[in-house]
Amino acid sequence: MNNTLVINIVRFLFLILLQALVLNNINLFGYINPYAYIIFIILFPFTTNQVNFLLISFLLGLSIDFFLNSGGVHASASLTVAYLRPTILSYSFGVSYEHQNIKFSRMGLKERLLYVILIVFIHHLVLFSLEIFNLQYILMILKKTLFSSIFSLIVIFIVLTLFSRKN
């Protein structure tokens, strides 16, 4: 098997277990939850077939929905950000993405931050919009999106720092 395939399988399983066994039990102030499983979508190889990536992202979200009994909202949010990822990559990395010349660890901090923030914010906005599904609670949706995004970003950057390869 290909080394990249093994890494992605291990990452997929690790993030599902981390989310299901540890992070799902964190609930600050009744509405702030970290969702670190998005790291898989963030770090998945950029040159992979888009259809395969969409299917894998859907399965990732569906796995989280299975553990949370949440009716498909994580699958929908994961599929949405996976579908939008090429546009977000193009916006964040510009010419480097168009030439398929992206190495996440070599990109500038500004580009990486923009990319991760956009992925996390869009994921959370879709997630909480579908979870609440009532425009009367738009302020609650935005509040949960903002604060959970901030907390998720902190957790994501901690996990990325702990597991990054030293060059």
Side-chain angles (χ1 to χ4, degrees), residues 160-167:
L160 287 176
T161 302
L162 288 175
F163 294 104
S164 67
R165 294 183 198 162
K166 304 295 179 207
N167 294 331

Side-chain angles (χ1 to χ4, degrees), residues 59-156:
L59 291 174
L60 174 70
L62 197 60
S63 301
I64 300 302
D65 284 323
F66 175 75
F67 284 106
L68 285 176
N69 195 22
S70 54
V73 294
H74 290 275
S76 299
S78 296
L79 190 59
T80 301
V81 293
Y83 179 77
L84 293 175
R85 189 175 86 148
T87 305
I88 295 168
L89 283 166
S90 179
Y91 179 75
S92 300
F93 297 111
V95 176
S96 296
Y97 174 70
E98 292 169 15
H99 295 297
Q100 300 295 317
N101 192 18
I102 297 177
K103 183 76 172 167
F104 191 74
S105 59
R106 293 186 197 152
M107 298 313 282
L109 181 63
K110 182 178 125 185
E111 290 89 2
R112 283 187 289 172
L113 275 175
L114 180 62
Y115 170 63
V116 173
I117 288 169
L118 286 173
I119 292 279
V120 170
F121 185 79
I122 292 169
H123 174 273
H124 284 39
L125 184 62
V126 171
L127 176 75
F128 295 125
S129 295
L130 291 173
E131 184 180 277
I132 296 172
F133 205 68
N134 190 339
L135 282 179
Q136 289 180 336
Y137 298 106
I138 189 72
L139 290 177
M140 173 64 89
I141 293 169
L142 294 174
K143 183 170 94 171
K144 286 181 82 167
T145 299
L146 177 66
F147 291 116
S148 288
S149 292
I150 291 169
F151 193 41
S152 292
L153 286 167
I154 292 168
V155 170
I156 286 169

Side-chain angles (χ1 to χ4, degrees), residues 24-91:
N24 285 348
N25 297 316
I26 299 174
N27 191 3
L28 295 176
F29 308 114
Y31 62 91
I32 300 175
N33 303 91
Y35 296 106
Y37 71 90
I38 313 168
I39 293 172
F40 184 81
I41 296 170
I42 291 168
L43 295 179
F44 198 78
F46 303 122
T47 56
T48 306
N49 179 344
Q50 183 69 6
V51 174
N52 292 339
F53 176 58
L54 291 172
L55 180 62
I56 293 167
S57 298
F58 177 75
L59 291 174
L60 174 70
L62 197 60
S63 301
I64 300 302
D65 284 323
F66 175 75
F67 284 106
L68 285 176
N69 195 22
S70 54
V73 294
H74 290 275
S76 299
S78 296
L79 190 59
T80 301
V81 293
Y83 179 77
L84 293 175
R85 189 175 86 148
T87 305
I88 295 168
L89 283 166
S90 179
Y91 179 75

